[in-house]
Amino acid sequence: MRRLSRRKALSLVKELDAFPKVPDSYMETSASGGTVSLLAFGVMAVLAVLEFFVYRDTWMKYDYEVDKDFSSKMRINIDITVAMKCQHVGADILDLAETMIMSNGLKYEPVIFELSPQQRLWHRTLLVIQKGLGEQHSLQDVLYKTVHKGAPTTLPLREGASLEPLSACRIHGHIYVNKVAGNFHITVGKPIQHPRGHAHIAAFVSHQTYNFSHRIDLLSFGEEVPGVIHPLDGTQKTTPNNNQMFQYFITVVPTKLHTYKISADTHQFAVTEREREIDHAAGSHGVAGIFVKYDTSALMVTVREQHMPLGQFLVRLCGIVGGVFSTTGMLHRFVGSCVDVVCCRFKLGVYKPTEEAQASQQQNDHLPPLDLRPGEEARG
C-alpha cells in the first residue's frame, strides 16, 4: 500500500511538471542558433550589470506637511566678514515681536578682508557649485547624499603670517531666535538695550570709516550640516560708497534630512537681494549696513534617501533574463523562416515539379482508360 501511494504521488508530481524534459535526440542545434545564444548571453550580462548599478543608486524623496512646531527656537549660523574694524560694527536681531536678541553667541575676530591664494581657490570652487545649484536642482540631491559629519565646509584658515593690517572684522557663531519673522543686521556701532527700542552707539564712529563691503562665507538656519551649500554661501559684495545698504530678504522652510549617512533638522531658504546708496538729500532714507530679513514658512519638507528594494531588483533581473530569451528566440525563428522562404524554396525550386514527377505524369496520360463492369474493381 505504501509503495502504491508513493507511485501515485510520484505520478501526480510528474503530471504537474511545468518543465518537461525534451530528449537530446529531438533537439537540433545550428551555428546560427549558437550565435544568437551568445549574443543573448552578452546582452543579458550587460543589462544585468546596468541594473545592478541602478540598484545601488539612491534617490531623494520630498514630502510636505504643515509645520506644527512654533514653540521651539531656531538656530541661525553666521560667518560674515565686513571690511570694517571690529570696534566700529555691531550685530544683533530684532524680531517681529519687538524682541531684541543680543548677539552673545557671535564672536568678533579681526582679519584681513583680502583672501589668500588657497582661500581664493576655495571661494572659486564654492561659486562654481553655487552656479551648478542654480542651473539644476539634482546637484542638491548629490550634496545631500555625500555629506559627512565633521567635513570642513567653511573658509579655510589663512596659511602663514601676513604683514597686512587687520582692517576687517569676521563675525561668526550662532544665535537662537524665535520662529517668527525677524531682522538680523550688521551696522555701525555696538548694539545696546534701550527701554524705548533698539539702538546702536554710532556717534563716535567717523563717517569716513564706513565700509560695508562684505563676504558671506556661511549663512544657514537650523542644525548645521557639513557639506550642504546654502544660497548665500560665497556671496561677496564690494562698494566704494560709505553709505551703502545691503538687504537680503529670506523665506526659511524647515527641512528634516534623513539619509544613509546623516539625519538632521535643518532649513532651506530662498533669498532676494537688494542694495542701494543712502542719500537723504535724494530721498533715499535708511541706515547703512547689512540687513538680513527672514521669515519662516508654515510648511515643512522631509527629505528621505530611498533605495530600490531587493525583491524589486530580483524581479527586474528575472524580467531581463526572460525577456531577452523570449525576444531573441522569436527573432531567430522569424529571421530563419524568412531566410528559408526566400533562399531555400524560391531560389532552389522547391515549389517547382521535379523531372521524375513530370515523367510519371506523362506516362499516366498515355495509358488507355480502364473499362470496368458494374460491380467489378480494378486489380493491379
Side-chain angles (χ1 to χ4, degrees):
M1 293 297 294
R2 292 183 178 179
R3 293 181 178 178
L4 183 60
S5 61
R6 289 181 180 177
R7 290 179 180 177
K8 289 182 179 180
L10 184 60
S11 62
L12 179 62
V13 172
K14 289 182 178 180
E15 291 178 359
L16 295 177
D17 187 8
F19 307 97
K21 308 300 183 294
V22 180
D24 295 338
S25 58
Y26 294 167
M27 300 175 62
E28 181 181 357
T29 59
S30 61
S32 61
T35 303
V36 173
S37 299
L38 292 177
L39 292 176
F41 290 142
V43 172
M44 282 189 291
V46 172
L47 293 179
V49 172
L50 295 177
E51 189 65 26
F52 177 72
F53 286 125
V54 174
Y55 169 72
R56 291 188 58 188
D57 193 15
T58 59
W59 63 90
M60 310 304 294
K61 181 181 178 182
Y62 293 80
D63 296 323
Y64 304 89
E65 58 182 326
V66 177
D67 185 15
K68 301 178 181 179
D69 184 14
F70 293 100
S71 59
S72 62
K73 298 288 185 178
M74 183 175 61
R75 172 172 166 169
I76 303 180
N77 308 296
I78 301 167
D79 190 352
I80 301 177
T81 302
V82 186
M84 290 181 65
K85 293 184 178 180
C86 292
Q87 61 267 27
H88 296 160
V89 295
D92 64 339
I93 293 178
L94 186 67
D95 62 16
L96 191 62
E98 298 295 332
T99 302
M100 180 179 176
I101 302 173
M102 299 299 295
S103 56
N104 297 328
L106 298 180
K107 299 179 181 179
Y108 295 78
E109 179 184 351
V111 293
I112 301 173
F113 188 77
E114 296 296 332
L115 298 175
S116 63
Q118 181 183 0
Q119 291 174 333
R120 281 197 295 269
L121 178 61
W122 178 89
H123 188 260
R124 285 196 298 266
T125 304
L126 183 59
L127 293 180
V128 171
I129 298 176
Q130 286 284 25
K131 183 179 179 181
L133 287 172
E135 294 177 353
Q136 52 179 350
H137 184 71
S138 59
L139 182 58
Q140 185 68 46
D141 296 342
V142 176
L143 296 177
Y144 280 155
K145 292 188 290 186
T146 56
V147 296
H148 297 277
K149 286 189 175 181
T153 55
T154 57
L155 183 70
L157 298 177
R158 182 180 294 271
E159 64 278 9
S162 179
L163 300 177
E164 299 182 27
L166 304 178
S167 58
C169 183
R170 179 190 175 197
I171 304 174
H172 61 98
H174 58 269
I175 307 175
Y176 289 93
V177 300
N178 301 319
K179 296 183 71 173
V180 296
N183 182 7
F184 167 75
H185 51 272
I186 302 174
T187 187
V188 179
K190 298 299 180 180
I192 60 172
Q193 291 183 350
H194 194 273
R196 294 185 178 181
H198 176 241
H200 284 256
I201 304 177
F204 303 102
V205 181
S206 174
H207 184 269
Q208 301 300 325
T209 61
Y210 288 15
N211 186 1
F212 285 100
S213 300
H214 62 281
R215 182 180 62 254
I216 303 177
D217 297 321
L218 172 66
L219 181 62
S220 63
F221 296 82
E223 183 179 349
E224 188 175 357
V225 182
V228 176
I229 308 300
H230 302 278
L232 286 177
D233 294 354
T235 300
Q236 181 169 328
K237 302 286 186 179
T238 57
T239 176
N241 302 320
N242 300 101
N243 281 347
Q244 192 77 7
M245 173 189 285
F246 296 93
Q247 293 177 307
Y248 300 96
F249 301 93
I250 294 177
T251 301
V252 183
V253 180
T255 304
K256 291 185 177 181
L257 179 62
H258 300 284
T259 67
Y260 291 106
K261 294 184 178 180
I262 193 172
S263 294
D265 291 337
T266 182
H267 291 69
Q268 302 180 85
F269 63 89
V271 59
T272 302
E273 305 176 16
R274 182 189 177 191
E275 62 179 89
R276 61 186 176 91
E277 182 181 0
I278 303 300
D279 189 356
H280 297 285
S284 178
H285 303 291
V287 178
I290 305 168
F291 297 85
V292 179
K293 299 182 179 181
Y294 61 89
D295 193 6
T296 57
S297 174
L299 291 178
M300 181 176 64
V301 181
T302 302
V303 185
R304 299 181 184 275
E305 185 178 7
Q306 292 191 340
H307 189 274
M308 180 187 296
L310 179 60
Q312 183 178 355
F313 169 69
L314 296 178
V315 170
R316 292 166 66 99
L317 203 61
C318 293
I320 289 175
V321 175
V324 172
F325 259 122
S326 302
T327 304
T328 53
M330 289 187 296
L331 290 177
H332 179 246
R333 287 192 294 270
F334 176 74
V335 173
S337 300
C338 294
V339 171
D340 184 49
V341 169
V342 174
C343 298
C344 298
R345 300 196 177 189
F346 287 104
K347 290 187 177 181
L348 297 180
V350 176
Y351 289 114
K352 297 179 180 179
T354 59
E355 295 180 356
E356 295 180 358
Q358 292 178 355
S360 177
Q361 183 66 27
Q362 292 177 359
Q363 184 179 0
N364 292 334
D365 293 340
H366 290 85
L367 290 177
L370 296 177
D371 186 11
L372 299 177
R373 296 181 181 179
E376 295 182 357
E377 297 180 355
R379 297 177 182 180

